[in-house]
Amino acid sequence: MDRFLSSAVNRIDAKGRVSVPAHFRAVVQKRGYSELYALRCLDRPAMDVGGLDLLDRYEQRIAQEDPFLRTADDMSFFCHGDGTFLKLDQDGRITMSDFIREHTGLSAEVAFVGRGSFFQIWEPGRLAAYGAEARARLLQLRQGTKPGERPE
């Protein structure tokens, strides 16, 4: 397995650490990540987490922009200023810093959700609400209806 799949909820310990799910740690190990890169999700109260390839993807996109235009500067602020590195300890835990807690609303538990080439960190209640909204949007697409319309 080389993709981040599934989801799990783990408790934050008294020192602010949380265990990364074992199946996510297996992907981290298989990909050879020595540290993780975490970035505030732009439009949701979540953190996108992956290896340096996630950061590389953003930096490659920035390199395509004119460095004298605001877009490149905004993108750099986003991926560098709104990002942080996370280190897995020997027991597979990462620390939930204030930076992460303030953006996600984490308190006692962390929801991990796989997104293929990366995973996300959410406050469990917010993830449940987002999941319900996403499934409702997909159901509407499947039924060929617009938001707020009822299928015939």
Side-chain angles (χ1 to χ4, degrees):
M1 176 192 322
D2 66 345
R3 297 280 186 267
F4 295 104
L5 302 174
S6 192
S7 61
V9 175
N10 290 338
R11 292 197 59 76
I12 299 171
D13 70 15
K15 294 182 179 178
R17 302 169 303 187
V18 64
S19 292
V20 175
H23 50 289
F24 285 14
R25 290 194 313 266
V27 175
V28 166
Q29 184 176 19
K30 183 172 184 174
R31 291 183 173 198
Y33 297 157
S34 59
E35 60 187 344
L36 297 172
Y37 169 69
L39 174 69
R40 289 182 186 183
C41 191
L42 191 58
D43 59 345
R44 292 179 292 279
M47 299 294 293
D48 293 342
V49 183
L52 290 180
D53 55 333
L54 182 61
L55 177 58
D56 289 343
R57 204 165 61 204
Y58 284 110
E59 290 179 333
Q60 289 168 4
R61 179 63 181 88
I62 292 168
Q64 296 173 7
E65 295 295 323
D66 183 333
F68 297 105
L69 296 180
R70 179 171 280 166
T71 302
D73 189 53
D74 288 348
M75 291 171 69
S76 176
F77 174 83
F78 170 66
C79 79
H80 300 116
D82 276 351
T84 189
F85 288 106
L86 303 174
K87 199 79 159 156
L88 279 167
D89 71 12
Q90 63 189 18
D91 296 318
R93 298 172 298 198
I94 53 177
T95 299
M96 295 294 97
S97 65
D98 289 343
F99 176 80
I100 294 171
R101 288 175 185 257
E102 289 168 7
H103 181 69
T104 60
L106 293 174
S107 58
E109 294 181 317
V110 176
F112 294 86
V113 62
R115 300 298 300 262
S117 62
F118 66 99
F119 65 91
Q120 290 182 316
I121 292 173
W122 286 78
E123 187 281 322
R126 289 179 174 181
L127 175 60
Y130 174 77
E133 292 166 6
R135 284 188 280 288
R137 286 190 299 270
L138 290 171
L139 181 59
Q140 288 174 339
L141 284 173
R142 182 182 202 183
Q143 295 171 338
T145 59
K146 296 178 183 173
E149 283 184 351
R150 301 205 71 162
E152 295 180 11

